[in-house]
Amino acid sequence: MGAAMRRIQMGNALSAFGIGFTVPFLYVYVADVRGLGSSTAGLVLAVFAVAALVVLPFTGQAIDRRGPLPVLVGAALVASAGALVLGLSTGEPGVLAGAAVLGAGQAVMQPALATMIVWCSTPESRTRAFATQFFLANLGLGIGGLIGGLLVDASDPGSFVLLFSIESAMFLVLAGIALTVRLPRTPLIKDAVKAAPEQGGGLRTLLRHRAMVQLCVLGFVLFFACYGQFESGLAAYGVEAAGITPQVLGYALAANTAVIVLAQFLVLRFVERRRRSRVIAAVGVIWTVAWLVAGLAGLGHGSQAMATTAFITTYGLFGLGEAMLSPTVAPLVADLAPEQRIGQYNSAFALVKQLALAIGPAVGGPLGAALHGPYIVTFVLFSLAIVVLGLRLGGRLTAVQDQPSLAASRVVASGAPAREAAVGASG
């Protein structure tokens, strides 16, 4: 791992560490500590999603025109200001404004960081680079949440101001580290550039790229069926159908993070030498089992101990699938992108992710709380759809795109534009 990549990964980990300080406590902070009620707290969570959906359509073009570095620095500064405003606000207008600014900054940071990782990696090292990013992000979130839980006091608003101040400072640290990075030229997969449409620009180019469109559809299903259910539908199902307590839900989320942290690099050895499309299909199989186990927890009419064990196992199986996806899907987006449109492709995929995360809770929450059997059946079917979509995507990929370990003799230099050229280039 080169010096530039080490700095990018360090900044990624520290920003995740800062986010971990506030994410678990955001609802309690708005609803109870600031006394604004549950409806305002729910609105704050919605504002995060809306802000992301507003800024992401413009992010890719900015990254491709200016380069990912200035976009990342700007987004980190915006997110830092948003965190500080959110922590200091005592009324609804200030809290909502802070959430909008913070949500917009965090949303832009994702594709900018992903593009920097692409520029600093080769087709052969990209899988490991994205796996490392996912591992460090989860580790940072987990440690941040643990320390935040020790510092926070629901009776003391000042303790929450401290948490948001730490988050704000971590974004400033990310911006400072990013400014020290010198982005190198890096190879891309030649077949990826050839496989994408050569003419046209903007969204039209992406929509004519059938492999990327299929990957976006697959990505929506992945995020809708897993991440979009964690804190909404699946949690509601666990409480209502399986009698899961909030404490057990916390254990389940901890199990999910633990599996990711412990299994990431073991899983990486399995993933690196296999076809990406088949890895994605395997995740669909694992998540199908996970939903069936969740069904056993809530519909099996067994003991409470059995339900608790099954529910925690469900979250652990989701974590295993996430560990397999992190070195698979994000690098594939980069390898599908034409040379001058890496930022646009990363931003488009991030937009699809945000849509899934916005729609997933809205659909899954009521369904999981009230219609237990149909909820499980629905997401078993979604998981089986991941298997089908993954295998079908494989038919759209070149051999090197599907299995990057074959890329050693099939890469070209100058896969990313030089940093100087990126500053003035048009998207």
Side-chain angles (χ1 to χ4, degrees):
M1 186 185 296
M5 182 66 80
R6 283 195 296 270
R7 293 178 184 182
I8 293 169
Q9 299 287 24
M10 181 189 305
N12 167 62
L14 289 174
S15 64
F17 175 70
I19 293 170
F21 272 87
T22 62
V23 167
F25 316 109
L26 185 58
Y27 184 91
V28 172
Y29 167 71
V30 176
D32 299 331
V33 176
R34 293 304 185 190
L36 299 177
S38 59
S39 60
T40 300
L43 189 57
V44 165
L45 297 175
V47 164
F48 273 98
V50 172
L53 295 177
V54 168
V55 298
L56 280 171
F58 307 100
T59 301
Q61 189 176 42
I63 292 173
D64 290 331
R65 285 185 172 181
R66 301 297 180 185
L69 180 57
V71 173
L72 175 63
V73 172
L77 295 176
V78 168
S80 177
L84 203 56
V85 169
L86 188 55
L88 294 174
S89 296
T90 58
E92 184 172 324
V95 167
L96 293 175
V101 174
L102 177 58
Q106 287 185 224
V108 173
M109 284 163 51
Q110 296 177 31
L113 271 169
T115 303
M116 289 180 72
I117 290 175
V118 172
W119 281 28
C120 292
S121 62
T122 65
E124 297 91 331
S125 66
R126 197 161 293 146
T127 296
R128 185 167 292 270
F130 277 100
T132 301
Q133 181 200 30
F134 190 69
F135 167 81
L136 291 174
N138 277 276
L139 186 63
L141 284 169
I143 295 175
L146 178 63
I147 297 176
L150 297 175
L151 295 177
V152 74
D153 180 355
S155 64
D156 179 16
S159 66
F160 286 86
V161 174
L162 174 61
L163 296 190
F164 282 101
S165 298
I166 292 172
E167 181 181 30
S168 177
M170 288 299 101
F171 288 132
L172 293 178
V173 170
L174 170 61
I177 291 175
L179 287 172
T180 68
V181 174
R182 295 296 177 263
L183 296 177
R185 298 167 70 91
T186 185
L188 281 181
I189 296 176
K190 182 188 295 185
D191 288 346
V193 178
K194 285 186 173 181
E198 297 287 346
Q199 298 179 348
L203 184 61
R204 289 177 299 172
T205 300
L206 191 150
L207 291 177
R208 289 202 300 269
H209 192 173
R210 293 187 178 181
M212 183 59 188
V213 171
Q214 285 192 356
L215 180 58
C216 285
V217 172
L218 173 60
F220 181 89
V221 175
L222 286 168
F223 289 107
F224 178 82
C226 176
Y227 300 91
Q229 302 307 313
F230 271 0
E231 297 177 4
S232 58
L234 188 55
Y237 168 83
V239 171
E240 299 296 337
I244 298 301
T245 65
Q247 184 180 31
V248 171
L249 180 59
Y251 293 153
L253 289 168
N256 175 265
T257 301
V259 169
I260 292 171
V261 171
L262 295 175
Q264 182 65 83
F265 292 102
L266 294 175
V267 167
L268 184 61
R269 296 180 181 180
F270 170 82
V271 169
E272 280 183 314
R273 297 291 174 180
R274 285 167 175 80
R275 296 181 183 179
R276 287 165 165 168
S277 57
R278 293 185 180 180
V279 171
I280 294 170
V283 171
V285 173
I286 292 171
W287 285 358
T288 298
V289 174
W291 283 109
L292 291 173
V293 172
L296 181 65
L299 308 175
H301 305 293
S303 67
Q304 190 59 48
M306 182 276 291
T308 297
T309 301
F311 197 73
I312 293 175
T313 300
T314 296
Y315 273 78
L317 288 171
F318 277 127
L320 178 60
E322 292 174 72
M324 294 171 66
L325 286 176
S326 64
T328 304
V329 175
L332 180 55
V333 174
D335 290 343
L336 285 173
E339 183 174 354
Q340 301 294 332
R341 301 195 181 278
I342 297 174
Q344 183 182 67
Y345 274 52
N346 280 326
S347 296
F349 195 77
L351 179 61
V352 168
K353 174 182 176 181
Q354 287 297 328
L355 283 170
L357 293 180
I359 297 173
V363 174
L367 192 62
L371 301 173
H372 305 147
Y375 178 70
I376 294 297
V377 171
T378 296
F379 287 96
V380 165
L381 293 176
F382 268 101
S383 298
L384 292 174
I386 292 170
V387 179
V388 175
L389 291 170
L391 294 175
R392 289 191 64 182
L393 177 64
R396 290 284 183 188
L397 304 177
T398 67
V400 175
Q401 289 168 349
D402 204 13
Q403 190 170 343
S405 60
L406 303 176
S409 61
R410 304 179 65 182
V411 298
V412 290
S414 306
R419 186 162 170 257
E420 296 80 4
V423 172
S426 64

